[in-house]
Amino acid sequence: MAIGLHDSTIQNPVLRWVDQRLPVFTMMQKEYGTFPTPRNFNYFWNFGALAMVTLMIMIATGVFLSMNYTPHTAHAFDSVERIMRDVNYGWLIRYVHMNGASMFFIVVFIHIWRGMYYGSYKAPRELLWILGVVIFLLMMATAFMGYVLPWGQMSFWGATVITNLFSAIPLVGESIVIWLWGGFSVDNPTLNRFFSLHYLLPFMIAGVVFLHVAALHITGSNNPLGIDPKGPQDTLPFHPYYTAKDSVGLVVYFIVFAFLVFFMPNYLGHADNYIPANPLVTPAHIVPEWYFLPFYAILRAVPDKLGGVLLMFGSIAVLFVLPWLDTSPVRSMRFRPVAKWSLYLWLVSFFVLMWAGAKPADEPYVTISRIATAYYFAYFLVILPLLGRLERPLSLPESIAMPVLRGGGPVLAGAAAKPMEKA
Amino acid sequence: MRDVKRGFRNLIGALVLGAATTLGATLPTPAQAAGEAIPLPNAGFSFAGFFGTFDRGAAQRGLQVYKEVCAACHGMYHLSYRNLTEIGLSEDQVRAIAASVEVRDGPNDMGEMFDRPARLSDRFRRPFANELAARAANNGAYPPDLSTITKARANGANYLHALLTGYVDPPPGFALADGMHYNAYFPGHQIAMPNVLNPDQVEYADGTAATVDQMARDVTTFLAWAAEPETEQRRAMGIKMMLFLIVLGGLTYAVKRKVWADVKH
């Protein structure tokens, strides 16, 4: 790149002056204005933008909550109730933040599912996918620590159970747990550091989101057909087409979000968390927030503590190598008849685990969890690697524009049906 | 139109997936997971449902029940006397209620703590100095603070009403521990709190007959308000917000249709 003022095409003289020195407007125009985007997105492609909006809402509400929150075991619970009662619209800010966490997971689960169904993790988007999994992990850590902050019964006992998992690590486990706690039990030092980290991690998420989006803009988006755009006839400028389409999804998202916040704000939470934390009274059943239930069920499905912990972390870790476990060159499940149903079954196993995670660790739930856990992993470790070799995918359309235009205009019927050579 | 339909199908598919994610998690509510759930009768409260409001008369009577019965053992620390104007009492009435309670203040300029009548800005008086004092006075049990009680129990209002009216004779053969009481709705059925509501326990100023069910209903209404005093404001705002979003959604969808009108897809 040549040194010197940027050759800006911006007309407005003030913006132009800035753009010549720091071409942010050119960049925005390139990345969000004219950015060539496949023309055949469905509404599943809204969820990345929705996740971005949720992150911003969470940071905004969180900043205001922290102005009134006191991270001390003696005051945390009371300060949250004070926010709910005495801070102007404190109840609104807190309920948005609290339900925002659930909305974030709903949106991100669907976003991940979208990636799995349409093969968005495959070459050349492996790194994009890996960055996404990193965001997911950071989100889970952030959500877990955020849930501890109100210092209710579930906060305290959830923190105790989850931090104790690290004691399963051989030799150094106990030391690690004491190091995490900052003492010999979950107590004020734990609450303090969780508050600090809960404030820090979202900004790390924002950083990785930036990398995620940057990587996306190198490879370009995948699309429901999973084939690459072959020219301008296959793409549309991001604005106004996808800004308009994302806006529709955004309003629908806000309707769901608002319904939760205004009409059933505590529905997704646990009543016990409105009881102040008491280290001497253990709740009858300690259950994590709903979005952790599938992973909690995997943890409990294994009779061995260390094994359970490894499998639980493994259930996320396996996503990192998904691009290499799936050996099929065909991205979209639309053209993979067997893999498609295997994936639907994987979704069922995910929901079964979520359901079983909320149940007590008794029969028949343990056996059901084990079967679901086995399939969860089998899909990644056995089915996908084998299907790449065994499955006969349907013939792929020649281009994105072809099947799109087939219904709309007089296009030769044979052209679209011509099978593409498998790479 | 086919494209529109397909677009909608995708949108609906995405929504169903979202709803399923939510429901899948919550149908077996964690509270149900927490031990044997005893089915609770629906008491049909005025504030139940998405549009309910607090019956002011019931809340005021409930305040009377709280003051005359519950307050002997249970605090409501998160409430201040000034909050009571929200259930329809005038400021003078609330001043009088506050003044009837002695609270501890200080230290004064002699460095000593002293008692004085409560003011509007004071928190509700705590019946015991600390948890140990409360346990010592209550056979080892700790009467919980009632500020958040209806949101701190699953299906809180119905549970509370059922609990307060649930003191019945234990079934034959039930081993009741010393100093405990049988309650049909308490988890495990053994509760340290005795039956405190007897017919005509309080004399209502408005002449309402003080049956056990009536008092349980009234105090539950009061406590439900106390736990979520923002409820009415929240729901009213929610209705406006939903209407606004639905209109906005229609407009946004119209814009999207217009923008995409020239694209074959």
Side-chain angles (χ1 to χ4, degrees):
Chain A
M1 247 168 83
I3 302 286
L5 288 183
H6 176 70
D7 185 18
S8 179
T9 53
I10 305 283
Q11 297 302 313
N12 180 302
V14 177
L15 299 187
R16 186 182 168 82
W17 185 90
V18 174
D19 201 55
Q20 287 171 326
R21 285 151 184 83
L22 183 70
V24 281
F25 298 105
T26 300
M27 191 203 81
M28 284 303 287
Q29 182 62 20
K30 178 166 166 278
E31 304 296 344
Y32 289 99
T34 55
F35 190 67
T37 314
R39 60 190 289 153
N40 60 332
F41 279 0
N42 58 30
Y43 276 103
F44 275 112
W45 264 262
N46 277 352
F47 285 86
L50 296 182
M52 177 82 102
V53 169
T54 317
L55 177 63
M56 294 193 291
I57 291 173
M58 293 304 278
I59 290 179
T61 50
V63 166
F64 283 101
L65 284 176
S66 71
M67 292 178 189
N68 290 287
Y69 169 77
T70 312
H72 187 285
T73 53
H75 304 290
F77 187 89
D78 291 351
S79 71
V80 171
E81 273 304 313
R82 201 187 138 267
I83 290 170
M84 297 292 290
R85 293 159 190 274
D86 292 339
V87 173
N88 291 329
Y89 293 103
W91 58 268
L92 180 60
I93 300 171
R94 173 163 181 259
Y95 278 154
V96 167
H97 196 74
M98 197 172 120
N99 288 287
S102 287
M103 290 303 291
F104 210 168
F105 276 93
I106 291 172
V107 163
V108 163
F109 281 150
I110 296 173
H111 189 60
I112 294 174
W113 161 259
R114 199 282 322 271
M116 289 172 73
Y117 189 87
Y118 295 109
S120 303
Y121 50 82
K122 292 186 191 185
R125 300 186 183 82
E126 305 95 321
L127 190 57
L128 173 60
W129 170 264
I130 288 171
L131 288 167
V133 181
V134 171
I135 295 170
F136 182 49
L137 272 178
L138 288 172
M139 259 179 77
M140 292 174 93
T142 310
F144 163 66
M145 287 189 279
Y147 192 59
V148 175
L149 301 185
W151 209 242
Q153 273 290 69
M154 278 300 159
S155 297
F156 178 86
W157 289 99
T160 303
V161 169
I162 301 300
T163 48
N164 253 316
L165 293 179
F166 291 91
S167 70
I169 302 169
L171 301 175
V172 291
E174 295 291 338
S175 314
I176 287 178
V177 173
I178 290 170
W179 177 72
L180 286 175
W181 284 340
F184 297 101
S185 67
V186 174
D187 207 334
N188 201 47
T190 326
L191 180 59
N192 278 191
R193 61 190 55 193
F194 276 21
F195 178 57
S196 171
L197 292 172
H198 184 72
Y199 207 117
L200 170 69
L201 289 187
F203 295 97
M204 291 176 65
I205 292 178
V208 186
V209 165
F210 179 81
L211 297 178
H212 189 68
V213 173
L216 172 72
H217 283 232
I218 296 296
T219 62
S221 296
N222 188 27
N223 64 80
L225 293 173
I227 56 176
D228 294 324
K230 297 202 168 51
Q233 74 282 3
D234 287 346
T235 63
L236 293 168
F238 188 82
H239 180 75
Y241 294 100
Y242 285 111
T243 41
K245 194 161 182 170
D246 280 351
S247 302
V248 175
L250 190 63
V251 176
V252 175
Y253 156 89
F254 276 132
I255 288 175
V256 177
F257 198 165
F259 189 78
L260 276 176
V261 166
F262 290 105
F263 295 103
M264 40 204 321
N266 290 314
Y267 180 68
L268 293 169
H270 195 295
D272 276 21
N273 226 28
Y274 283 110
I275 303 171
N278 185 345
L280 301 176
V281 180
T282 319
H285 288 282
I286 301 171
V287 236
E289 286 286 80
W290 69 266
Y291 37 79
F292 290 138
L293 289 174
F295 311 103
Y296 191 56
I298 292 175
L299 170 77
R300 296 192 307 178
V302 186
D304 175 64
K305 187 174 175 185
L306 179 59
V309 172
L310 288 177
L311 221 53
M312 183 179 74
F313 285 114
S315 67
I316 309 288
V318 73
L319 295 175
F320 282 111
V321 287
L322 175 58
W324 295 278
L325 291 173
D326 187 347
T327 49
S328 168
V330 178
R331 293 197 191 106
S332 176
M333 290 292 179
R334 280 194 189 170
F335 306 104
R336 302 188 62 192
V338 185
K340 173 158 78 177
W341 289 104
S342 311
L343 180 58
Y344 277 131
L345 207 55
W346 178 88
L347 187 66
V348 170
S349 79
F350 184 82
F351 281 122
V352 165
L353 286 169
M354 188 182 275
W355 166 81
K359 298 287 181 186
D362 299 323
E363 289 303 340
Y365 309 117
V366 176
T367 308
I368 293 172
S369 303
R370 283 181 188 155
I371 295 168
T373 303
Y375 186 79
Y376 181 103
F377 283 98
Y379 173 77
F380 292 116
L381 301 176
V382 181
I383 296 174
L384 277 184
L386 287 181
L387 278 187
R389 296 190 172 81
L390 302 178
E391 183 184 43
R392 253 187 83 107
L394 307 180
S395 52
L396 294 175
E398 213 162 88
S399 77
I400 293 173
M402 277 300 178
V404 166
L405 295 176
R406 190 176 29 173
V411 179
L412 286 175
K418 197 193 285 175
M420 201 187 93
E421 286 299 312
K422 220 176 100 173
Chain B
M1 274 327 271
R2 244 192 54 212
D3 48 313
V4 177
K5 264 194 219 146
R6 199 177 51 207
F8 258 124
R9 243 194 357 253
N10 287 326
L11 180 63
I12 287 173
L15 282 179
V16 165
L17 199 65
T21 319
T22 317
L23 283 179
T26 49
L27 278 184
T29 57
Q32 277 166 340
E36 13 79 82
I38 306 164
L40 298 170
N42 184 355
F45 283 110
S46 63
F47 52 86
F50 291 142
F51 305 105
T53 52
F54 295 109
D55 177 339
R56 297 294 190 277
Q60 291 178 19
R61 289 194 299 274
L63 168 66
Q64 188 183 347
V65 176
Y66 170 73
K67 273 194 309 174
E68 295 178 17
V69 185
C70 320
C73 300
H74 294 277
M76 291 188 80
Y77 179 68
H78 294 291
L79 263 76
S80 301
Y81 291 103
R82 64 183 159 80
N83 295 135
L84 293 174
T85 53
E86 294 165 32
I87 55 170
L89 296 168
S90 70
E91 195 178 315
D92 287 337
Q93 284 173 306
V94 177
R95 268 182 211 286
I97 290 170
S100 69
V101 180
E102 291 274 299
V103 292
R104 177 133 284 214
D105 200 354
N108 63 12
D109 36 11
M110 301 304 292
E112 285 157 359
M113 305 302 281
F114 61 96
D115 288 337
R116 61 161 174 79
R119 297 188 283 253
L120 292 181
S121 55
D122 283 313
R123 296 287 183 100
F124 274 32
R125 184 182 64 177
R126 293 184 179 201
F128 299 103
N130 52 57
E131 183 178 334
L132 290 176
R135 285 190 189 274
N138 286 286
N139 197 21
Y142 179 47
D145 188 272
L146 297 181
S147 315
T148 57
I149 198 74
T150 60
K151 58 180 178 179
R153 299 289 181 277
N155 194 0
N158 285 328
Y159 168 72
L160 212 58
H161 174 260
L163 184 88
L164 290 172
T165 54
Y167 285 91
V168 291
D169 290 330
F174 188 89
L176 205 56
D178 235 17
M180 300 298 269
H181 309 271
Y182 186 85
N183 189 295
Y185 295 101
F186 191 72
H189 299 300
Q190 300 210 47
I191 184 167
M193 183 174 96
N195 181 19
V196 288
L197 294 181
N198 298 299
D200 297 316
Q201 181 86 39
V202 299
E203 195 180 322
Y204 280 136
D206 63 1
T208 307
T211 62
V212 171
D213 182 73
Q214 185 66 44
M215 288 184 288
R217 251 163 217 288
D218 292 344
V219 79
T220 302
T221 303
F222 172 68
L223 293 174
W225 163 78
E228 296 174 273
E230 88 295 346
T231 303
E232 292 178 1
Q233 189 195 4
R234 168 160 57 76
R235 288 173 181 167
M237 194 191 276
I239 292 165
K240 284 185 215 154
M241 193 64 93
M242 295 310 265
L243 290 175
F244 166 74
L245 285 173
I246 288 166
V247 172
L248 182 68
L251 292 174
T252 312
Y253 187 66
V255 169
K256 189 256 167 191
R257 289 289 309 277
K258 175 106 174 133
V259 167
W260 282 76
D262 59 343
V263 181
K264 286 202 162 58
H265 65 285

